[in-house]
Amino acid sequence: MNVDLHSHSTASDGALPPADLVRRAAAHGVEMLALTDHDRLDGLAEARTAARQSGIRFIEGVEVSVTWRGQSVHVLGLGIDPFDPALQAALAALRSSRFERAQRMAAQLAAAGIRDCLEGALRYARDPACVGRLHFAHHLVAAGAAVDTRAAFRRFLRPGKPGYVAVHGAALADAVRWIGGAGGRAALAHPARYALSAGALRTLLEDFRAAGGQGLEVVSGSHSSGDCSRFTALALRHGFAATRGSDFHGPGGGAEPGALPALDPALLPIWSDWLP
Ligand code: MN
Ligand code: MN
Ligand code: MN
């Protein structure tokens, strides 16, 4: 079965509206899909309807922004109840802190001589609560302050640069608790993407497990085959179920929905008891 439990729509930073995303996934042979927008549940209703029309199984999801020991980490909530009031309130608070961060980034860039960056960045963000560094980067390129978005990050948006403000995400244990409270399963997203030593990674996995985290995204659109092997071994060693997700954000930007290697058969798929 082709399962893809990580994708984004225009409800956060994806390029496609939820219904288009679902149709694209179905056309690519995905049979079970989760929409996991950053800190938002708004795209789920449209995606759910489209999945019913396309005849694919839909899993309600979210990707929660977490700060763990000063490091930004993403936790997937899979199979959540999108109407859970505590989860909705927690995500709303996270989103407002994201907008406050954008205001601070713009103030720092203004102090460095580049004015009106918040207005500029907001032109690229469909929702003000989702505005982030990539939107600032697009504006800095359009304003002629950088040749491309990579240069914008290098010169303005990295730690130590004038526009950098750290994200303050949720505490790891809180994110896992909100997801569990809404009936979902928490899985650590794209674990190879974090710049952690082997020891720090082990501590993260232990903390996540102790908090009630159940899964590890072993197969991700951003993982090399070496990463997949490494996290297969870590999932088995730490007793995590495994998940598989493209982290699709839009056409031309990495793996298409469902276009990923299969999970190693030794792993327990996080969706094993969701099959029809
Ligand atoms: Mn994203
Ligand atoms: Mn992520
Ligand atoms: Mn993602």
Side-chain angles (χ1 to χ4, degrees), residues 103-145:
Q103 291 174 309
R104 284 202 301 277
M105 288 171 70
Q108 290 179 199
L109 286 165
I114 308 174
R115 251 169 258 154
D116 300 326
C117 283
L118 183 59
E119 295 73 9
L122 286 173
R123 279 202 293 275
Y124 297 92
R126 191 166 162 275
D127 181 326
C130 281
V131 64
R133 287 191 297 168
L134 188 56
H135 306 116
F136 278 83
H138 284 303
H139 168 68
L140 288 165
V141 172

Side-chain angles (χ1 to χ4, degrees), residues 245-270:
S246 59
D247 203 1
F248 179 76
H249 279 71
E256 283 289 335
L260 298 161
L263 287 185
D264 186 295
L267 293 163
L268 173 69
I270 202 165

Side-chain angles (χ1 to χ4, degrees), residues 76-125:
L76 297 169
L78 300 172
I80 51 164
D81 171 7
F83 302 102
D84 182 80
L87 177 64
Q88 289 178 344
L91 295 177
L94 265 187
R95 294 194 300 267
S96 72
S97 83
R98 195 169 176 82
F99 186 70
E100 286 158 20
R101 171 207 189 210
Q103 291 174 309
R104 284 202 301 277
M105 288 171 70
Q108 290 179 199
L109 286 165
I114 308 174
R115 251 169 258 154
D116 300 326
C117 283
L118 183 59
E119 295 73 9
L122 286 173
R123 279 202 293 275
Y124 297 92

Side-chain angles (χ1 to χ4, degrees), residues 219-236:
V219 173
S220 156
S222 63
H223 281 182
S224 67
S225 63
D227 294 331
C228 295
S229 310
R230 182 164 157 244
F231 284 98
T232 295
L234 285 169
L236 292 170

Side-chain angles (χ1 to χ4, degrees), residues 14 49 54 63 81 87 90 98 120 138 175 204 212 234 237 243:
T49 303
S54 301
E63 182 171 17
D81 171 7
L87 177 64
R98 195 169 176 82
H138 284 303
L204 171 61
L234 285 169
R237 187 179 317 154
T243 184

Side-chain angles (χ1 to χ4, degrees), residues 6 8 13 36 38 63-64 72-76 189-190 193-194 217 222 247 249:
H6 190 159
H8 297 271
D13 58 349
T36 53
H38 297 284
E63 182 171 17
V64 181
S72 167
V73 161
H74 288 171
V75 173
L76 297 169
H190 43 63
R193 284 243 305 267
Y194 311 124
E217 192 175 49
S222 63
D247 203 1
H249 279 71

